[in-house]
Amino acid sequence: MAGSDPLPAEAGGAAAAAAATNPVALVTGAAQGIGAAIAVALARGGHDVVVTSTQPGKLEPVCAAIRAIGRRAAPIALDLHDAAGLEAAVQRAADAFGRLDVLVNNAGVPLKVPALEVTIEAWNSVISANLTGTFFLTQKFGAYLSRAHRPGCVVSIASTHALVGMADRAVYGIAKAGILQMTRMLAVEWAALGIRVNAVAPGRIDTAARAGSFSQPGYLASALGRIPLGRLGLPGEVAAAVAYLVQPESAYVTGQTIVLDGGVTAQ
């Protein structure tokens, strides 16, 4: 089900016209954590924002935060496992505010299982969402921009698991490594269309979803011991990297991955 947030009745024609010129971003998996931080950061940077979740009812807090900044927000349902629904989701996002300029691929499925215990069902679930669904959503977004003869930006949230080996993360890391190569391939192929394609690869980020792991005895101390900067990253730091990549100041940046890991991959 799609949602939208039209301008209030008291906003006259001039205000409506001004709003129509605001760039519009689509941020997937934006109900909490990194996705919500990205959506709010883009709103602060001047974007109206369409946010997605498999449970769109959970998007109201981030929509409220976006509206409090003075930008428009629209929640829509999106499940990356549903390949048939991806084109419709892009169209709903474009229809919400009359245009679409930025796609942030944040939604994904985690998996922490030893490689010897991975089932075909678990493999298919992770690859379907984190790689296949992400690629085809990006494809539909690129096709939309191509038809509209407009430039745009794609930023995909990858992971340091795509860059280094780690036990129990094989399937997740393989999927995220695919996202990094997708970024390079599409950046070259779509440059002539004026579409820039980049990625951000976070390391360990302090989110509510990770609270259970970090609360385990010794887990946090062990994790911090492997990070040269000696701390976890923050969702806002990931969001700031995404915000940079979609602004005019980064107009010469494409096909790149910004790594935010406190120095882990430098070792």
Side-chain angles (χ1 to χ4, degrees):
M1 180 179 70
S4 64
D5 183 36
L7 288 173
E10 63 269 19
T21 66
N22 291 342
V24 178
L26 169 61
V27 181
T28 69
Q32 60 183 350
I34 291 172
I38 290 169
V40 171
L42 295 186
R44 290 195 182 107
H47 292 74
D48 294 323
V49 189
V50 181
V51 289
T52 85
S53 172
T54 57
Q55 299 176 281
K58 294 185 176 182
L59 291 166
E60 184 49 39
V62 70
C63 286
I66 292 166
R67 292 170 188 142
I69 294 168
R71 298 300 176 186
R72 297 178 297 173
I76 66 171
L78 174 66
D79 184 349
L80 290 173
H81 294 102
D82 177 19
L86 299 180
E87 185 169 8
V90 170
Q91 191 58 55
R92 289 199 307 273
D95 289 345
F97 302 125
R99 61 185 293 171
L100 193 57
D101 304 273
V102 172
L103 169 64
V104 180
N105 290 311
N106 174 70
V109 176
L111 183 67
K112 183 180 180 182
V113 176
L116 293 177
E117 299 175 13
V118 173
T119 63
I120 189 67
E121 292 80 12
W123 170 277
N124 286 340
S125 178
V126 173
I127 298 298
S128 172
N130 295 8
L131 186 55
T132 306
T134 298
F135 172 83
F136 282 103
L137 181 67
T138 305
Q139 179 197 64
K140 305 309 180 188
F141 173 73
Y144 162 81
L145 289 178
S146 179
R147 289 192 302 270
H149 302 288
R150 290 218 323 274
C153 299
V154 177
V155 182
S156 298
I157 305 303
S159 169
T160 52
H161 292 311
L163 300 169
V164 297
M166 180 173 285
D168 303 339
R169 300 287 188 174
V171 182
Y172 184 80
I174 289 166
K176 291 299 187 179
I179 292 299
L180 297 188
Q181 186 64 0
M182 179 189 84
T183 295
R184 290 184 284 264
M185 291 291 193
L186 295 185
V188 173
E189 186 171 334
W190 290 357
L193 300 175
I195 303 172
R196 295 189 299 108
V197 187
N198 291 291
V200 173
R204 295 180 184 273
I205 305 299
D206 190 4
T207 65
R210 300 296 305 275
S213 296
F214 293 146
S215 66
Q216 295 174 15
Y219 184 94
L220 182 58
S222 176
L224 295 180
R226 294 192 293 270
I227 302 172
L229 287 183
R231 67 172 179 87
L232 302 175
L234 301 175
E237 292 173 317
V238 181
V242 174
Y244 163 71
L245 288 170
V246 306
Q247 293 294 341
E249 290 80 3
S250 67
Y252 201 49
V253 180
T254 195
Q256 303 304 309
T257 298
I258 296 178
V259 180
L260 297 95
D261 67 353
V264 170
T265 56
Q267 299 179 95

